[in-house]
Amino acid sequence: MPRKIKIAILFSGNGSNMQNIIETFHQKKIVYESKEYFFEIKGCVCNQKNAFGITRAKNLGIPCLLLPHQDFADRISFDLALEKEIKKMEVDLVVLAGFMRILSKKFCDSFKIINIHPSLLPKYKGVNAIIESFESGDREVGVSVHWVNEELDGGAIILQKSFLRMPEDTLEVFSQKIHALEYEIYPEAIKKAIASL
């Protein structure tokens, strides 16, 4: 019997990584390191009313809860409401896919959470990572997946993948390469994370 794995996805925007994860894992049996897993995406939570990812989730038939952080007095009260909703889903793993919030220690301690970041951490933490990485002049650039704690982009690295930047790359081309690498690395990192639980 495959081990059943339940996942919740949190996102704030376009939702392309979310869609990639749903299409890769939802209701799929996957063998990783000679063990069988059956994945179910229990639901998504979005904190931005106008996020296109809400449409993506709906089109993919995945429940998506809208929980705007602006409706809460402070970060702690938002995190408590989010924690309550995620606990209802009874998931094994929380996957952040462009979720633009720093989570409190209490929330981070309540779940196993992973995040994808568009730089080779510990370089270029925060929301401007792609631009900072592009403008850095670094020859080797890439993407990281890490465990989430209360420190911004500070948890232990699960997987990193890099490529050599071409001098002629524009920011647009560079961003496309980063996103393509994200779609490649995130499913692999999710399998690796699950195998370690």
Side-chain angles (χ1 to χ4, degrees):
M1 276 290 286
R3 179 181 163 199
K4 192 166 184 184
I5 300 295
K6 294 178 282 187
I7 290 174
I9 305 174
L10 311 188
F11 70 95
S12 298
N14 185 41
S16 58
N17 266 307
M18 174 199 67
Q19 179 167 341
N20 181 47
I21 292 161
I22 292 168
E23 289 176 342
T24 303
F25 290 102
H26 187 52
Q27 303 289 0
K28 303 266 178 75
K29 191 166 79 171
I30 290 171
V31 177
Y32 181 73
E33 292 182 341
S34 72
K35 290 182 181 167
E36 278 190 345
Y37 302 90
F38 183 80
F39 287 86
E40 182 183 1
I41 310 299
K42 290 292 288 182
C44 302
V45 183
C46 179
N47 66 315
Q48 294 287 3
K49 290 173 187 160
N50 299 318
F52 182 64
I54 296 167
T55 303
R56 289 182 191 263
K58 187 179 175 185
N59 290 343
L60 290 160
I62 301 295
C64 184
L65 173 70
L66 179 61
L67 196 70
H69 64 271
Q70 300 91 338
D71 292 356
F72 295 84
D74 51 38
R75 190 176 77 147
I76 296 297
S77 49
F78 171 76
D79 277 16
L80 284 170
L82 183 60
E83 181 183 337
K84 187 178 170 187
E85 294 298 336
I86 302 290
K87 279 187 171 166
K88 285 182 196 170
M89 298 184 199
E90 299 180 327
V91 295
D92 303 285
L93 187 69
V94 176
V95 175
L96 308 187
F99 187 64
M100 309 309 283
R101 300 280 299 169
I102 299 172
L103 294 160
S104 63
K105 184 177 189 322
K106 184 179 183 305
F107 186 90
C108 294
D109 289 346
S110 299
F111 307 102
K112 297 289 186 185
I113 312 168
I114 65 172
N115 181 49
I116 193 157
H117 187 75
S119 76
L120 293 175
L121 290 171
K123 287 185 172 182
Y124 318 121
K125 297 181 178 185
V127 295
N128 297 314
I130 289 183
I131 292 169
E132 287 177 16
S133 184
F134 177 75
E135 291 177 348
S136 70
D138 291 351
R139 184 89 165 86
E140 188 180 15
V141 292
V143 170
S144 308
V145 180
H146 64 94
W147 293 104
V148 173
N149 58 24
E150 70 275 16
E151 182 194 336
L152 175 65
D153 300 323
I157 301 292
I158 299 166
L159 201 57
Q160 285 185 318
K161 200 155 192 180
S162 65
F163 63 93
L164 296 179
R165 187 177 54 177
M166 297 294 103
E168 66 273 15
D169 283 356
T170 61
L171 177 58
E172 185 181 2
V173 169
F174 179 77
S175 299
Q176 286 169 352
K177 288 181 178 179
I178 289 285
H179 293 315
L181 192 57
E182 286 180 338
Y183 306 148
E184 181 187 327
I185 190 179
Y186 215 176
E188 194 61 28
I190 288 170
K191 288 183 272 188
K192 193 173 178 186
I194 287 296
S196 75
L197 296 179

